[in-house]
Amino acid sequence: MSNMYNHSEHIISAGLPKSSDYAQLKLAGVDTIINLIPHDCEWDRKNGFIADPKSARSSGLVHYTVAFESAEPVATMEHSIAVMDRLSFTEQDVLVHCAVNWRASAMVYFYHAIKNGKADKSELKPWGDLNEAFIESPSLKKFFKVIENHYGLTPAL
């Protein structure tokens, strides 16, 4: 998988797994997959980033889709928090993924910042240079600003 990052003992994020990766993930101890790729995202579809929940489930993994809606940052974050909270009580090993691990690492970063009251910018390592990433994707920069303002977080930059 591309751009994998270990956030904690139980949470990793990465780019989109191939259908053949799910069985290996299960053997490696992953219990649950959280897919953040929206169903109707033109960019993801155009670039071939289409999730495969059927392969994940047939490999014995629990699969959630928490569609990352850049136009609805707070609703997206609240949905993600609800799923992550539910899983945190089970101590399951979780892979959060999107296409290239920008959205996934951002959601884990924000989840930890909101829950711990402190952001750990190292969780954004999959982005490379954050300023350059924001130039490439202004909608993600806007997403960050809305979430930071809504939850009273220190800006990531």
Side-chain angles (χ1 to χ4, degrees):
M1 290 180 305
S2 66
N3 213 11
M4 188 181 292
Y5 186 80
N6 185 22
H7 293 270
S8 69
E9 181 182 352
H10 296 289
I11 300 173
I12 57 175
S13 64
L16 178 66
K18 295 182 207 95
S19 297
S20 60
D21 290 337
Y22 292 114
Q24 292 294 76
L25 287 165
K26 181 66 176 174
L27 287 173
V30 173
D31 303 297
T32 301
I33 304 292
I34 300 175
N35 165 38
L36 298 177
I37 299 173
H39 301 291
D40 60 352
C41 181
E42 185 179 322
W43 183 89
D44 288 306
R45 189 164 292 150
K46 180 176 74 175
N47 290 290
F49 296 115
I50 300 169
D52 186 6
K54 185 176 178 181
S55 290
R57 289 184 183 112
S58 69
S59 295
L61 298 163
V62 175
H63 185 279
Y64 292 96
T65 297
V66 178
F68 186 100
E69 301 295 343
S70 59
E72 297 291 334
V74 174
T76 297
M77 193 70 233
E78 291 295 317
H79 186 191
S80 180
I81 288 169
V83 172
M84 296 289 283
D85 278 352
R86 188 173 332 128
L87 294 172
S88 70
F89 293 112
T90 65
E91 293 193 8
Q92 291 190 17
D93 291 329
V94 178
L95 167 68
V96 182
H97 82 79
C98 59
V100 297
N101 199 11
W102 282 10
R103 294 170 286 195
S105 59
M107 295 303 279
V108 176
Y109 161 81
F110 281 130
Y111 177 75
H112 286 147
I114 292 163
K115 291 298 178 174
N116 300 330
K118 183 180 180 207
D120 178 358
K121 292 180 180 67
S122 71
E123 290 191 292
L124 297 173
K125 184 178 180 187
W127 287 63
D129 185 305
L130 197 58
N131 288 319
E132 287 181 25
F134 283 157
I135 290 168
E136 186 176 328
S137 183
S139 64
L140 287 175
K141 182 177 183 176
K142 181 181 176 192
F143 187 94
F144 267 67
K145 292 290 183 203
V146 169
I147 295 300
E148 288 164 347
N149 289 336
H150 182 80
Y151 291 98
L153 301 172
T154 303
L157 297 176

